[in-house]
């Protein structure tokens, strides 16, 4: 990453010229190639800053002996918050990604601690819960797919702030790691998980429902009419609820990124003309059932509500 960033900085004028030519030849007057190149350059700079600062923070934490101590965690959180804020500003100015919240969302977010369940359709939405709670002064930790350990900045910083990286379908080991997120959660903590476990795609929804019809016909019937979500996986959510029994749940839904399932498809459309619309609602801890079977049914109901909200937004577009 450091090498790529150094080459990118040195060659950036040539990259911009090439991007301008490519856009002009294709009559793309809003210069999407230039915007995407600038955003990726910013991402590389952020990642390189995290890589270079990580060993300094490691030394400051007693040569790694006190990485989990509150002062060390706070230092890493400040670096994480800086990186998210910078990329959010660049995403808005360069890519046209604007987030609009409906009236009920602000009231639903606080107070903490909260467990945040968010829909997942695009790599961009992975940072939306952290961005919203960061602006409120909360610390956020979450469940991150192990594939993202390939990003050295994420690997070095996010694990040190308490997030966990889990392999897909890792069963009991994954649930144990997720349960550990609840350790030390306080009134300024948001624990983030994406219950679908992967990005929404229509074919993934169909495959997941087909497996449910074989294993759990009742769940399949509950989720049969959904069209915008993948059936949620209850294991991680139940582990978090067990680990933080006093935490309320905030369910987040968003619409506007569905038409860009990959970054490449999003890049072809920047700057985006329409905002990303978000809503959130809160479920009090006392209203969440106990027992995995009842919690699974409750989670399915929440995801049906997410699907209905997205469907209504699509009808308005």
């Amino acid at each position: 990453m450091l090498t790529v960033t150094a080459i990118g900085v040195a060659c950036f004028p040539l990259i911009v010229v090439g991007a301008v030519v490519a856009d002009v030849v294709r009559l793309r007057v809003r210069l999407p190639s230039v915007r995407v190149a600038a955003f990726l350059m910013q991402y590389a700079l952020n990642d390189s800053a995290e890589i270079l600062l990580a060993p300094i923070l490691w030394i400051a934490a007693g040569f790694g002996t006190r990485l989990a101590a509150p002062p060390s965690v706070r230092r890493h959180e400040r670096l994480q918050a800086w990186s998210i804020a910078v990329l959010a500003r660049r995403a808005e100015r360069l890519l046209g990604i604007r987030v609009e919240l409906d009236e009920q969302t602000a009231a639903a977010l606080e107070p903490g601690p909260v467990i945040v369940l968010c829909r997942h359709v695009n790599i961009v939405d992975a940072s939306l819960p952290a961005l919203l709670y960061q602006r409120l002064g909360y610390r956020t930790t979450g469940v991150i797919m192990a594939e993202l350990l390939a990003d050295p900045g994420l690997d070095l910083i996010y694990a040190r702030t308490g997030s966990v990286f889990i392999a897909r379908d890792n069963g009991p080991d994954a649930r144990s790691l997720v349960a550990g997120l609840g350790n030390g959660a306080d009134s300024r903590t948001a624990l983030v998980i994406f219950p679908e476990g992967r990005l929404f795609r229509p074919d993934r929804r169909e495959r997941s429902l087909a497996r449910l019809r074989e294993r759990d016909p009742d769940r399949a019937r509950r989720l049969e009419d959904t069209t915008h979500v993948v059936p949620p996986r209850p294991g991680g959510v139940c582990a978090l609820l067990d680990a933080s029994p006093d935490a309320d749940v905030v369910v987040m839904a968003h619409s506007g990124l569905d038409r860009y399932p990959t970054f490449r498809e999003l890049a072809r459309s920047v700057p985006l003309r329409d905002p990303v619309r978000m809503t959130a609602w809160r479920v009090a801890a006392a209203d969440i059932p106990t027992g995995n079977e009842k919690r699974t049914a409750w989670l399915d109901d929440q995801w049906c509500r997410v699907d209905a909200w997205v469907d209504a937004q699509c009808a308005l577009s």
Side-chain angles (χ1 to χ4, degrees):
M1 178 58 78
L2 294 176
T3 302
V4 168
T5 303
I7 293 172
V9 170
C11 299
F12 193 64
L14 293 177
I15 293 172
V16 170
V17 170
V20 169
V21 171
D23 285 335
V24 170
V25 168
R26 293 175 174 81
L27 302 179
R28 299 189 294 202
V29 297
R30 306 183 80 191
L31 303 179
S33 299
V34 177
R35 293 170 179 270
V36 171
F39 180 80
L40 293 177
M41 187 72 258
Q42 182 68 67
Y43 186 93
L45 288 169
N46 281 33
D47 218 49
S48 294
E50 292 168 351
I51 294 167
L52 294 171
L53 289 172
I56 298 174
L57 297 178
W58 181 82
I59 293 171
F63 293 90
T65 60
R66 297 190 300 274
L67 276 175
S72 173
V73 172
R74 284 194 294 269
R75 287 191 289 268
H76 286 83
E77 286 174 345
R78 285 194 290 270
L79 178 56
Q80 177 182 305
W82 166 81
S83 183
I84 291 174
V86 169
L87 287 176
R89 289 196 297 271
R90 296 295 180 268
E92 181 173 353
R93 294 170 184 172
L94 293 171
L95 308 183
I97 298 176
R98 309 177 314 282
V99 179
E100 289 187 358
L101 309 180
D102 65 10
E103 294 179 357
Q104 72 177 22
T105 299
L109 297 180
E110 296 191 276
V114 291
I115 297 170
V116 181
L117 314 180
C118 189
R119 182 180 183 232
H120 201 18
V121 301
N122 184 290
I123 58 172
V124 173
D125 66 30
S127 62
L128 290 179
L131 180 62
L132 293 182
Y133 274 99
Q134 180 177 298
R135 290 172 176 173
L136 296 171
Y138 279 60
R139 65 182 295 264
T140 60
T141 59
V143 179
I144 305 174
M145 290 297 101
E147 292 93 329
L148 292 179
L149 285 170
D151 182 320
L154 283 174
D155 185 5
L156 289 166
I157 303 301
Y158 280 67
R160 295 182 186 179
T161 58
S163 292
V164 296
F165 293 82
I166 62 172
R168 297 185 192 277
D169 304 316
N170 201 20
D173 292 338
R175 285 191 286 273
S176 176
L177 287 172
V178 171
L181 282 176
N183 297 334
D186 57 25
S187 61
R188 308 302 290 178
T189 301
L191 310 172
V192 181
I193 187 169
F194 296 84
E196 290 158 302
R198 60 199 64 207
L199 299 176
F200 169 78
R201 299 288 183 274
D203 58 325
R204 288 176 184 165
R205 172 191 167 276
E206 291 300 327
R207 288 197 300 270
S208 183
L209 276 175
R211 289 192 293 269
L212 273 182
R213 291 186 191 104
E214 296 177 2
R215 297 197 315 262
D216 193 336
D218 289 338
R219 284 200 72 199
R221 280 191 291 271
R222 283 199 298 265
L223 296 163
E224 193 75 50
D225 294 332
T226 59
T227 55
H228 304 284
V229 295
V230 174
R233 298 181 173 193
V237 176
C238 289
L240 265 184
L241 291 171
D242 286 335
S244 304
D246 297 326
D248 291 350
V249 167
V250 173
V251 183
M252 289 186 177
H254 57 81
S255 176
L257 292 171
D258 307 65
R259 67 193 74 172
Y260 316 113
T262 66
F263 187 80
R264 176 176 294 183
E265 289 172 278
L266 185 146
R268 292 171 180 162
S269 304
V270 300
L272 306 187
R273 297 180 184 274
D274 299 321
V276 177
R277 295 184 175 86
M278 288 195 69
T279 190
W281 57 88
R282 192 179 190 94
V283 183
D287 295 330
I288 300 170
T290 57
N292 287 349
E293 186 174 343
K294 291 182 179 179
R295 281 177 174 172
T296 298
W298 169 83
L299 178 60
D300 289 343
D301 289 342
Q302 299 304 311
W303 237 239
C304 287
R305 183 174 172 182
V306 168
D307 184 79
W309 183 86
V310 175
D311 197 58
Q313 296 302 305
C314 292
L316 294 173
S317 300

